[in-house]
Amino acid sequence: MKRVQSSRGVSIVELLVAFGILSLIMTAVISFYIEAGAVSAKRNVVSDRLRRFHLGLEKMEQIIREGRLVDIAPYRLTLLKLSDLSEEDGFPNFAPTPIQFISKPEGVVSIFGDEEKMILPFEPGERVIFETLQENPPEPSKKYLIALELYYSGAEDGRSDLLFRRTINLEQYYGTP
């Protein structure tokens, strides 16, 4: 007696179910991949912004740390910087002309005499604010904590986000009232 082998095929319903399950899995994988790419791109933008701020701050920090505060406003920091002959008879020798760091809409610039130099360029919506932090109680040594704050106001809801804040110790120049 001869056996007949049954050749069972795949029905159209089984194919549709398998295709449906495969399409659900692929949709989930692709949407996860797209979302991960968007999060990574946003993180790169914030990381680039902070990297630019660090580089600009490094340019300013040496002068700020060695200088003496003359005046501070939210968008302007005026101080005396050490001259080329930084010390004379054991005392700091400051340049007669003050240096200013000004936060303009296009970036932070330094102005020393007639020379204006871009220190930290901004992208739209960015702003640096200079702020004095008060000590409780204030010390008679006239040392100040200066906060440099990088804000971004490009959010759709119009709010400003503080992206970075750094504090620097600075002494008040005693020659001013």
Side-chain angles (χ1 to χ4, degrees):
M1 180 157 136
K2 245 182 174 185
R3 278 186 109 179
V4 178
Q5 288 185 341
S6 89
S7 61
R8 184 173 185 287
V10 178
S11 71
I12 188 94
V13 174
E14 292 171 332
L15 281 174
L16 287 175
V17 168
F19 182 71
I21 292 172
L22 179 65
S23 65
L24 283 174
I25 292 172
M26 291 304 293
T27 301
V29 168
I30 289 173
S31 66
F32 175 77
Y33 179 75
I34 290 171
E35 185 66 27
V39 167
S40 177
K42 186 175 182 181
R43 188 175 303 141
N44 286 342
V45 167
V46 171
S47 177
D48 288 344
R49 183 174 292 132
L50 292 177
R51 191 175 306 114
R52 271 189 309 102
F53 184 68
H54 280 292
L55 291 174
L57 183 62
E58 290 299 319
K59 293 176 186 176
M60 293 189 303
E61 190 168 17
Q62 182 70 25
I63 296 170
I64 291 174
R65 285 193 184 278
E66 293 177 352
R68 295 296 182 263
L69 180 65
V70 173
D71 185 37
I72 186 167
Y75 299 111
R76 186 186 77 252
L77 180 65
T78 305
L79 51 101
L80 293 179
K81 73 174 204 158
L82 289 174
S83 70
D84 294 337
L85 302 170
S86 62
E87 196 174 291
E88 194 172 292
D89 297 328
F91 294 98
N93 188 19
F94 295 105
T97 306
I99 186 169
Q100 289 188 329
F101 291 105
I102 299 176
S103 181
K104 296 181 174 184
E106 59 272 2
V108 175
V109 297
S110 70
I111 300 174
F112 184 63
D114 295 335
E115 182 183 355
E116 183 173 318
K117 189 186 325 180
M118 178 63 68
I119 301 293
L120 174 62
F122 292 153
E123 290 183 3
E126 293 179 346
R127 195 67 175 190
V128 167
I129 296 176
F130 304 106
E131 179 182 28
T132 304
L133 304 176
Q134 295 295 324
E135 297 177 10
N136 282 329
E139 293 185 21
S141 67
K142 293 193 175 186
K143 287 191 178 184
Y144 290 89
L145 289 175
I146 303 296
L148 302 175
E149 301 172 335
L150 175 66
Y151 283 92
Y152 176 67
S153 61
E156 291 84 25
D157 57 2
R159 72 171 196 260
S160 293
D161 293 329
L162 174 63
L163 293 176
F164 188 80
R165 181 181 191 147
R166 186 156 182 183
T167 58
I168 298 174
N169 288 322
L170 189 62
E171 286 189 35
Q172 174 76 36
Y173 177 63
Y174 295 111
T176 61

